[in-house]
Amino acid sequence: MIKKIYLIGNPNVGKSVVFSRLTGVHVISSNYPGTTVELIKGYLSLRDEKVEVVDLPGTYSLEPTSSAEEVAVSLLKEYPKNEIVVVNILDSTNLERNLLLTLQLIEEGFPTIACLNMCDDAVHRGVHIDIKKLEEILHIPVISTCAVTGVGIKLLIDRIKETVPVLREKLSHEERWKEIGHIIEQVQHLEHRHHRLREVLEDASVRPLTGLLMASGAIYVSFKIVRFIGEFIINKITDPFFYSTYQNLLEKLTIHWQEKSFLFHLLIGDLVNGKIDFKQSLGVLTTAPYIEFGMVLPYVISFYFVLSLLEDIGYLPRLAILLDNLLHRLGLHGYAIIPVLLGFGCNVPGILSTRVLESKRERFIASTIISIGVPCVPLQAMIIGLLGTFGGFYVGGVYLVLFSIILVLGVILNRVLPGYSPEFLLEIPPYRFPPVAILGKKLYFRIKSFLVEAVPIVLIGVLVINILLYFKLFDIITSISAPVIHGLFGLPKEAIVSLVIGFLRKDVAVGMLAPLGLSAKQLFIAATLLAISFPCIATFIILWKELGLKDLIKSALIMLGISLIVGTALNFVVLR
Amino acid sequence: MKANHKGKVIEILGGTNLQERLMNMGVYVGKEVTKLSHIGLRGPIVIKSGRSNFALGHGVAAKVILERE
């Protein structure tokens, strides 16, 4: 009786892709070690029975050396060995290193099936493996698969039932590597190949000079593409729709409504010069959908398109190497660039992925930096949409301020917090070019989860805000906070409403600033404050879960302090 | 050691945890590795061991003693 199937393997061998193929559950997969930081479960039908499949975080060995590896290993021991099957996934292009774990699994007596993944890539690289021979040597079923295209998955499912524990002598580490050497000699045949363009690029991107050139190029091109696609969607698709079709429709529907009635206030909002203004009316049917679909969604699409591409090609670990120096000064190591980049999409997955960092200290620094200095796509899109009308200078200014805050805060935290920043030890994946279908699917799931999470909150949020505004319930907070908002930050006192809403969603919060008629300087300060002050509620909950209450409070106090200092400084010193 | 040179690991200093981690990744005493590059100013070092590339932080790299071939 098989009760559970575990997928285990070295980092970045494609466990999550195999998992998706087996269970039909979509999981985000990328070309760098540590994409899966949570345990993910799904079901596979085996002989009309549903068996739970668990995708374990990547591990090099059954003797764990990091917390993610510990999780993987301890889970394997949860059930008796005769009730589970271990699907050991290996990278065919790198059989030697992967076999260590396979031997350990067999020695420990786990019923194991080996799945040599990425067989297509192996062929491209001139690596030929004699599967039959490997089966004979290991005495376990060995299957060659290519999970991205689905080759071999059916065979894998068929043979899962065949797995039985086999007896194998326990070896020491040194003996095991020797044994692996023998196995490799018998089953692997390497075709000698000249360096291809791909290998030349792989090498060039980790050398200091060419690497930096490539990194600047990659970052520049990424920005350009994100802006180009975002603006293209706005100018060619969403704006024409909103300003002609949708506006006409709304005006026809509401022609007989009383402008000052409660319902009109809720759904349409305030008219500007007798017309609906999508940026300023603040109605549930006007500004709310325009913010989400007309301003934010286009950039969500373009940002995740570029990020997914960079992830799947495998460029990010190389960027991590080049930035290791800089990030060391902030108490982190190079790999922290991955949570930070994910944070630019949405802070929540960014903070979740700080689990790839080893120590609690690093996770605290990285999470705090992300929630203060890294604006999410919705916030950025709104800043570009509103502040951009005053000129790119101001938008650039916001990024400059945020970047300086990250640097200063990181250096200070690194000095103040006890402990040291650990060294970095990372496997660099080869470049891979994902099939368009895989990329499209990943993009689709990311956009879908954005829509599912954001749209209801935005609609309900705008509704609640409008009710509160209608009954003037914000007036109390407004007058209490006026000395700080007006006195220190130089903003009209009504801007507090926006800062409070920022706790709910950042994009709506920036939208709330539009009707206030702020000057460029005021909008600049307010937008910067929205980025650095409290993160939105979703991020807050994740911070709480990941850091614990004590560190959350520490982090929140840092946010408040920085908001006060930076807001005042910008108002009085920098922009007079 | 300079870039593109091969060497044999003769000793790994430092704690057992580091030795284990490197051992699990296939870098152990007696193993032949190639240094690919070094990012300046105490930056990481990239080595090739078997068919995989690894980036080692400067501090880690300083503990892996190689004998040049």
Side-chain angles (χ1 to χ4, degrees):
Chain A
M1 239 310 267
I2 300 171
K3 284 201 176 144
K4 276 208 181 192
I5 296 173
Y6 290 101
L7 302 189
I8 192 168
N10 286 185
N12 206 38
V13 296
K15 289 177 294 300
S16 297
V17 189
V18 174
F19 177 80
S20 296
R21 287 278 171 193
L22 288 179
T23 61
V25 177
H26 182 83
V27 208
I28 294 276
S29 51
S30 310
N31 184 12
Y32 52 75
T35 312
T36 309
V37 288
E38 294 169 286
L39 284 180
I40 300 166
K41 294 176 184 177
Y43 292 90
L44 168 71
S45 294
L46 213 63
R47 276 175 278 170
D48 308 318
E49 251 179 83
K50 276 196 160 183
V51 184
E52 193 177 63
V53 183
V54 186
D55 185 15
L56 297 172
T59 177
Y60 285 105
S61 150
L62 283 184
E63 284 143 30
T65 49
S66 78
S67 57
E69 291 186 346
E70 259 165 45
V71 172
V73 174
S74 66
L75 270 167
L76 274 183
K77 296 183 175 154
E78 241 179 19
Y79 281 82
K81 282 174 187 153
N82 56 358
E83 289 178 8
I84 62 171
V85 167
V86 176
V87 179
N88 176 208
I89 297 156
L90 297 89
D91 175 354
S92 311
T93 62
N94 206 333
L95 194 58
E96 186 180 358
R97 201 205 60 223
N98 283 248
L99 276 175
L100 179 80
L101 182 64
T102 316
L103 288 188
Q104 285 179 325
L105 285 167
I106 302 173
E107 284 168 22
E108 288 293 321
F110 289 107
T112 309
I113 177 167
C115 163
L116 298 187
N117 201 19
M118 309 203 230
C119 58
D120 56 336
D121 202 28
V123 173
H124 280 302
R125 285 172 187 266
V127 181
H128 300 279
I129 298 165
D130 187 343
I131 303 278
K132 279 257 157 61
K133 190 97 195 213
L134 189 59
E135 245 178 31
E136 278 167 28
I137 297 172
L138 297 175
H139 303 292
I140 60 167
V142 178
I143 289 138
S144 165
T145 63
C146 173
V148 255
T149 56
V151 173
I153 295 295
K154 203 177 163 298
L155 192 65
L156 173 68
I157 296 174
D158 287 342
R159 296 193 64 182
I160 280 179
K161 296 165 254 174
E162 289 176 25
T163 52
V164 279
V166 286
L167 248 113
R168 204 183 168 91
E169 190 196 346
K170 286 198 184 182
L171 300 173
S172 75
H173 258 319
E174 284 80 7
E175 290 170 324
R176 233 176 253 140
W177 281 118
K178 229 181 204 166
E179 174 74 17
I180 290 169
H182 289 310
I183 298 178
I184 290 292
E185 264 172 38
Q186 296 177 60
V187 301
Q188 183 173 282
H189 163 67
L190 290 182
E191 213 175 289
H192 189 76
R193 297 228 166 158
H194 284 291
H195 265 258
R196 297 254 188 96
L197 179 64
R198 178 158 76 161
E199 278 113 31
V200 173
L201 284 177
E202 277 169 8
D203 282 356
S205 57
V206 294
R207 291 186 199 277
L209 193 67
T210 43
L212 278 178
L213 279 176
M214 283 173 76
S216 344
I219 292 170
Y220 179 77
V221 172
S222 303
F223 264 119
K224 281 280 164 195
I225 299 177
V226 169
R227 277 202 60 182
F228 176 77
I229 299 178
E231 281 171 9
F232 180 85
I233 299 174
I234 290 175
N235 293 332
K236 301 284 177 205
I237 303 170
T238 55
D239 265 7
F241 170 77
F242 273 103
Y243 283 104
S244 51
T245 324
Y246 191 58
Q247 185 152 16
N248 284 340
L249 182 78
L250 280 183
E251 275 167 4
K252 269 185 200 134
L253 280 176
T254 56
I255 201 155
H256 298 297
W257 282 14
Q258 281 284 314
E259 198 191 323
K260 295 285 169 215
S261 77
F262 182 58
L263 203 61
F264 190 89
H265 175 79
L266 284 188
L267 297 181
I268 306 296
D270 304 316
L271 296 184
V272 177
N273 302 328
K275 279 197 154 297
I276 293 170
D277 184 318
F278 283 118
K279 283 186 182 168
Q280 298 186 29
S281 290
L282 280 188
V284 175
L285 293 180
T286 53
T287 304
Y290 185 72
I291 286 180
E292 281 320 288
F293 296 106
M295 297 177 86
V296 173
L297 183 63
Y299 280 106
V300 168
I301 296 174
S302 64
F303 174 82
Y304 278 122
F305 170 73
V306 172
L307 182 69
S308 305
L309 198 64
L310 286 175
E311 281 182 342
D312 286 4
I313 288 176
Y315 184 67
L316 300 183
R318 293 174 166 79
L319 194 60
I321 296 172
L322 294 169
L323 291 173
D324 186 51
N325 255 325
L326 174 70
L327 288 164
H328 250 290
R329 313 262 183 277
L330 314 183
L332 299 167
H333 62 57
Y335 214 45
I337 191 64
I338 286 177
V340 168
L341 280 179
L342 289 176
F344 273 109
C346 168
N347 280 187
V348 173
I351 290 169
L352 267 179
S353 81
T354 58
R355 290 186 191 170
V356 297
L357 305 173
E358 288 90 0
S359 69
K360 206 170 149 54
R361 177 181 189 263
E362 279 178 284
R363 285 198 289 271
F364 176 76
I365 297 178
S367 307
T368 307
I369 281 178
I370 290 172
S371 44
I372 293 178
V374 177
C376 58
V377 163
L379 178 58
Q380 294 178 66
M382 293 301 290
I383 292 177
I384 293 170
L386 287 182
L387 198 55
T389 51
F390 290 106
F393 169 74
Y394 290 98
V395 180
V398 174
Y399 285 101
L400 190 68
V401 171
L402 292 180
F403 186 65
S404 324
I405 293 175
I406 291 182
L407 288 187
V408 174
L409 180 66
V411 170
I412 294 175
L413 285 177
N414 189 26
R415 290 273 159 82
V416 174
L417 292 175
Y420 62 100
S421 45
E423 289 284 347
F424 143 105
L425 180 52
L426 172 76
E427 186 181 353
I428 311 162
Y431 283 143
R432 295 198 172 99
F433 299 95
V436 179
I438 293 277
L439 201 64
K441 209 170 166 194
K442 187 168 169 179
L443 189 59
Y444 166 79
F445 275 97
R446 278 182 156 158
I447 291 166
K448 190 175 141 195
S449 77
F450 163 76
L451 290 177
V452 169
E453 281 154 28
V455 174
I457 296 186
V458 168
L459 293 181
I460 296 168
V462 171
L463 184 74
V464 173
I465 294 163
N466 275 345
I467 294 174
L468 294 177
L469 282 176
Y470 192 80
F471 294 108
K472 302 201 185 310
L473 292 175
F474 278 118
D475 288 6
I476 309 160
I477 315 173
T478 310
S479 49
I480 294 174
S481 63
V484 174
I485 300 295
H486 187 70
L488 291 181
F489 301 157
L491 300 173
K493 58 184 194 294
E494 292 79 14
I496 185 67
V497 178
S498 157
L499 289 177
V500 172
I501 304 304
F503 193 58
L504 191 69
R505 268 200 76 84
K506 298 285 181 188
D507 41 11
V508 180
V510 182
M512 299 284 300
L513 294 170
L516 296 179
L518 300 180
S519 69
K521 174 188 166 183
Q522 286 174 321
L523 194 56
F524 172 77
I525 294 177
T528 312
L529 280 175
L530 270 174
I532 55 183
S533 65
F534 279 111
C536 70
I537 183 97
T539 311
F540 215 72
I541 292 171
I542 285 293
L543 274 176
W544 188 347
K545 270 202 223 154
E546 295 294 306
L547 297 179
L549 188 60
K550 210 176 118 199
D551 278 354
L552 171 72
I553 294 172
K554 243 197 267 173
S555 187
L557 287 177
I558 296 175
M559 291 169 204
L560 271 182
I562 291 188
S563 305
L564 279 174
I565 297 168
V566 173
T568 314
L570 286 180
N571 183 30
F572 287 109
V573 187
V574 185
L575 292 162
R576 242 195 287 221
Chain B
M1 200 162 87
K2 281 190 183 150
N4 294 325
H5 277 276
K6 266 191 189 173
K8 205 173 227 176
V9 181
I10 52 168
E11 198 184 355
I12 297 176
L13 309 169
T16 39
N17 187 290
L18 176 67
Q19 287 182 12
E20 280 247 310
R21 276 177 71 187
L22 286 169
M23 168 76 88
N24 291 340
M25 292 170 143
V27 179
Y28 48 91
V29 174
K31 177 86 187 179
E32 220 173 62
V33 299
T34 311
K35 174 173 162 178
L36 286 183
S37 71
H38 175 199
I39 312 294
L41 302 166
R42 299 184 63 78
I45 283 146
V46 184
I47 60 163
K48 188 175 176 72
S49 157
R51 294 187 60 81
S52 1
N53 292 346
F54 295 105
L56 314 180
H58 196 91
V60 173
K63 289 177 185 147
V64 180
I65 312 293
L66 298 178
E67 185 177 57
R68 261 177 76 169
E69 279 188 5

